[in-house]
């Protein structure tokens, strides 16, 4: 948290350093502001000033005297520079939003008089079908930039109390959410991106005393055994691996695989990957041995 003290008011304010430190309402309002900045509807300086007002819970007002008004805006502009911490800047000057959180600030919300539940922190307990379909819509949005895919992503993970994902009519739910405020839709997208960053790069779990790196599922090996991590998520073949898992009979048919906890399925996929790599190495070793013997 940033600390900002206003001497005239004898008051200290605490301002989030990034989106992950925002409370529920701050998160939603900032998500909408980030959307406006990302889509070019507002410039960066406007984003910072409007963001400062949101995070300090201030309302816009005009001073009676012009000099006081100029001084106020000068101070606001200086204070708004604190919001630079919401981004990192690469060597080309491109700004990248800091997304390193997997707790959900918006666990539920009401829409048209109905309550909908979102995901738990860390996406705990989601179904593998949600995980698989969510990644698909995430990739679709990355490729096209069409908001409809974000609405589909949102609908996949927001269900009525006691509603099961398996019985969700996705097309109907997306139509229902068409007029939902973008702060909810884009806010969840930013949360999902942060989750993707975690699951594809940093996720490791301890199982029976053995550390399993889930992130290995999102890496592909080149011919020279270097690992590439810039592949589109769908390119690793989540769906094909799902079918392979279904064919193994461990969890039953494909639809049964989709109804299991996503983490259990990912752990089983890791096991499949390990086995496939082991078999590939054994075949290569046998081939090399055979070629060596033939020269002898």
């Amino acid at each position: 948290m940033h600390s900002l003290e206003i001497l005239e008011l004898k008051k200290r304010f605490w301002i989030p350093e990034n989106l992950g430190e925002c409370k529920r309402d701050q998160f939603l309002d900032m998500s909408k502001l980030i959307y406006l900045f990302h889509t070019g509807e507002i410039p960066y300086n406007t984003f910072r000033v409007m963001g400062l007002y949101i995070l300090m819970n201030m309302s816009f007002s005009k001073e009676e005297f012009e000099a006081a008004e100029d001084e106020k805006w000068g101070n606001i502009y200086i204070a708004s520079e604190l919001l630079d911490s919401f981004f990192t800047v690469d060597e080309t000057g491109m700004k990248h939003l800091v997304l390193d959180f997997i707790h959900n600030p918006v666990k539920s919300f009401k829409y048209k008089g109905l309550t909908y539940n979102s995901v738990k922190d860390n996406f705990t307990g989601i179904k593998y079908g949600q995980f698989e379909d969510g990644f698909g819509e995430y990739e679709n949005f990355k490729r096209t930039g069409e908001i409809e895919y974000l609405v589909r992503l949102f609908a996949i993970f927001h269900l009525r109390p006691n509603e099961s994902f398996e019985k969700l009519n996705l097309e109907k739910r997306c139509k229902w959410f068409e007029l939902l405020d973008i702060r909810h839709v884009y806010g969840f997208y930013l949360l999902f991106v942060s989750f993707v960053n975690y699951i594809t790069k940093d996720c490791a779990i301890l199982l029976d005393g053995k550390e399993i790196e889930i992130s290995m599922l999102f890496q592909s090996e080149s011919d020279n055994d270097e690992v590439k991590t810039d592949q589109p998520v769908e390119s690793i073949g989540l769906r094909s691996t799902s079918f392979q898992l279904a064919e193994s009979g461990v969890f039953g048919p494909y639809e049964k695989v989709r109804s299991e906890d996503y983490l259990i399925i990912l752990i089983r996929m890791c096991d499949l990957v390990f086995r496939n790599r082991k078999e590939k190495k054994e075949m290569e070793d046998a081939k090399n041995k055979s070629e060596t013997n033939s020269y002898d």
Side-chain angles (χ1 to χ4, degrees):
M1 288 281 185
H2 292 299
S3 173
L4 178 63
E5 185 176 5
I6 300 179
L7 299 178
E8 292 84 351
L9 299 178
K10 296 181 179 179
K11 192 172 182 180
R12 183 181 298 275
F13 294 87
W14 297 97
I15 299 174
E17 291 187 28
N18 53 61
L19 196 61
E21 292 186 354
C22 291
K23 297 178 181 178
R24 176 194 167 97
D25 289 343
Q26 291 176 328
F27 177 84
L28 291 171
D29 290 341
M30 288 301 296
S31 294
K32 186 170 186 176
L33 207 57
I34 291 166
Y35 169 77
L36 294 175
F37 171 59
H38 278 170
T39 55
E41 294 189 41
I42 59 173
Y44 183 62
N45 288 343
T46 301
F47 162 81
R48 289 195 313 193
V49 170
M50 293 180 69
L52 183 68
Y53 269 80
I54 289 172
L55 299 177
M56 293 184 64
N57 194 29
M58 298 189 300
S59 57
F60 288 93
S61 62
K62 190 172 183 179
E63 299 294 333
E64 183 177 354
F65 299 103
E66 183 176 348
E69 180 75 1
D70 291 342
E71 182 181 1
K72 181 190 75 173
W73 282 110
N75 291 333
I76 288 175
Y77 183 84
I78 293 173
S80 73
E81 292 178 344
L82 291 173
L83 271 70
D84 286 341
S85 63
F86 271 64
F87 297 85
T88 59
V89 182
D90 63 24
E91 60 277 5
T92 67
M94 180 72 69
K95 290 181 174 60
H96 301 276
L97 187 67
V98 174
L99 293 172
D100 57 1
F101 62 98
I102 50 176
H103 67 278
N104 186 3
V106 188
K107 299 290 196 306
S108 65
F109 72 101
K110 287 190 175 182
Y111 178 64
K112 296 182 178 180
L114 300 177
T115 297
Y116 292 88
N117 293 328
S118 186
V119 298
K120 298 177 182 178
D121 291 342
N122 308 324
F123 282 70
T124 302
I126 65 171
K127 303 299 183 183
Y128 179 73
Q130 290 176 289
F131 176 81
E132 186 180 69
D133 293 351
F135 263 100
E137 302 304 341
Y138 162 76
E139 288 293 341
N140 287 337
F141 176 73
K142 282 177 60 180
R143 187 178 66 255
T144 68
E146 297 292 335
I147 293 297
E148 65 177 283
Y149 295 115
L150 294 191
V151 176
R152 293 179 67 85
L153 173 66
F154 185 88
I156 288 169
F157 290 97
H158 291 81
L159 307 174
R160 297 273 292 125
N162 301 318
E163 181 182 26
S164 66
F165 170 70
E166 293 77 14
K167 295 183 179 180
L168 173 67
N169 184 326
L170 183 58
E171 302 304 324
K172 185 177 180 180
R173 184 60 54 82
C174 288
K175 186 72 175 177
W176 177 253
F177 281 153
E178 272 186 345
L179 300 180
L180 184 63
D181 195 307
I182 193 65
R183 73 187 66 224
H184 285 281
V185 175
Y186 204 72
F188 183 76
Y189 163 70
L190 295 176
L191 170 63
F192 192 79
V193 172
S194 190
F195 171 63
V196 168
N197 292 339
Y198 167 71
I199 203 77
T200 59
K201 299 176 182 177
D202 304 316
C203 183
I205 63 172
L206 196 64
L207 184 66
D208 296 332
K210 180 180 179 182
E211 186 177 87
I212 298 177
E213 294 186 4
I214 300 297
S215 56
M216 65 171 289
L217 291 172
F218 304 89
Q219 300 171 346
S220 61
E221 294 184 359
S222 63
D223 293 337
N224 61 0
D225 293 331
E226 292 180 354
V227 176
K228 296 179 180 180
T229 57
D230 59 349
Q231 301 288 332
V233 174
E234 282 289 81
S235 73
I236 67 166
L238 274 181
R239 296 187 189 278
S240 62
T241 310
S242 303
F243 283 115
Q244 185 181 356
L245 195 58
E247 289 172 359
S248 72
V250 175
F251 293 103
Y254 177 60
E255 289 305 318
K256 184 67 168 60
V257 171
R258 286 173 55 81
S259 66
E260 291 288 337
D261 185 291
Y262 89 104
L263 204 51
I264 292 176
I265 298 300
L266 292 186
I267 292 172
R268 188 69 181 95
M269 283 184 174
C270 285
D271 183 53
L272 283 176
V273 170
F274 279 128
R275 291 187 184 186
N276 289 339
R277 289 181 180 179
K278 182 179 179 181
E279 291 176 1
K280 180 181 178 181
K281 187 177 186 306
E282 289 175 348
M283 291 176 64
E284 290 177 348
D285 289 344
K287 180 181 177 182
N288 292 335
K289 184 177 180 181
S290 175
E291 291 177 349
T292 300
N293 291 337
S294 66
Y295 286 119
D296 294 340

